[in-house]
Amino acid sequence: MKKRIVALLSVILILSFSVSMVSAETGYFSSQKRVRGAGSTYVICNVNPSKSTDGGSYYVTLTSFSYQIQGVPLVFNNVVGANDLVFRPYTTAGNEATSYPLNFKYASTDSNGEIRKNMSYGNNAQKNHRYQLKCSLGASSATSEFVFSGRWTP
């Protein structure tokens, strides 16, 4: 019985090590502010994450956000609302890593109070390259400013 448990634990350790080797770094960002229609700017992360596989998907998680609709008192809720908060990764050379932007419009939070979305790269993203994340608040957004914090995994 002990041999089976040891063998099972060995397999679990090997698999968990393998999974950790293929997962990408995660970048964290806080207090990012976007103004409606002002164009895209890079999200300032604590790391410049890299991908460990070709293709695949990228993930963005909003851990906090706030906004105010003009003329309406500030209300904290768990829905992004009618705001086109759009993210798109770029290579450090400034090339689009995907033609598919990730839009948080009308997204709502999970039980942890976070919003997580993912989007496919298509065939543009390559492993072992570092990426930057651009973000904009679309001109059609309901609010003039949007402030958010979160993380992303390329």
Side-chain angles (χ1 to χ4, degrees):
M1 185 64 165
K2 281 186 178 182
K3 288 183 179 181
R4 287 184 181 174
I5 292 173
V6 169
L8 180 62
L9 288 175
S10 298
V11 169
I12 291 172
L13 284 173
I14 290 169
L15 288 175
S16 64
F17 181 74
S18 299
V19 168
S20 69
M21 293 298 289
V22 298
S23 62
E25 298 175 45
T26 297
Y28 296 87
F29 48 87
S30 61
S31 300
Q32 302 287 309
K33 178 179 168 182
R34 295 297 176 267
V35 177
R36 178 178 56 212
S40 295
T41 56
Y42 285 110
V43 173
I44 301 169
C45 291
N46 62 338
V47 296
N48 186 3
S50 65
K51 282 184 55 55
S52 54
T53 59
D54 286 333
S57 298
Y58 64 98
Y59 299 84
V60 176
T61 304
L62 298 181
T63 55
S64 69
F65 56 90
S66 61
Y67 56 88
Q68 184 173 6
I69 298 173
Q70 194 167 0
V72 178
L74 182 63
V75 176
F76 293 97
N77 61 28
N78 60 356
V79 178
V80 172
N83 289 294
D84 290 301
L85 184 66
V86 178
F87 292 87
R88 182 177 291 163
Y90 285 77
T91 66
T92 52
N95 301 318
E96 263 186 17
T98 179
S99 54
Y100 307 111
L102 193 155
N103 193 336
F104 275 91
K105 188 171 188 173
Y106 296 118
S108 57
T109 59
D110 60 16
S111 60
N112 296 326
E114 299 179 342
I115 301 172
R116 181 178 182 186
K117 291 189 107 178
N118 68 302
M119 181 58 68
S120 171
Y121 277 107
N123 296 321
N124 295 348
Q126 298 174 355
K127 67 181 177 181
N128 301 324
H129 284 80
R130 296 219 168 260
Y131 290 89
Q132 297 176 328
L133 188 65
K134 275 192 176 180
C135 177
S136 62
L137 184 61
S140 62
S141 292
T143 63
S144 60
E145 291 183 358
F146 200 100
V147 179
F148 58 93
S149 298
R151 61 187 179 272
W152 79 292
T153 304

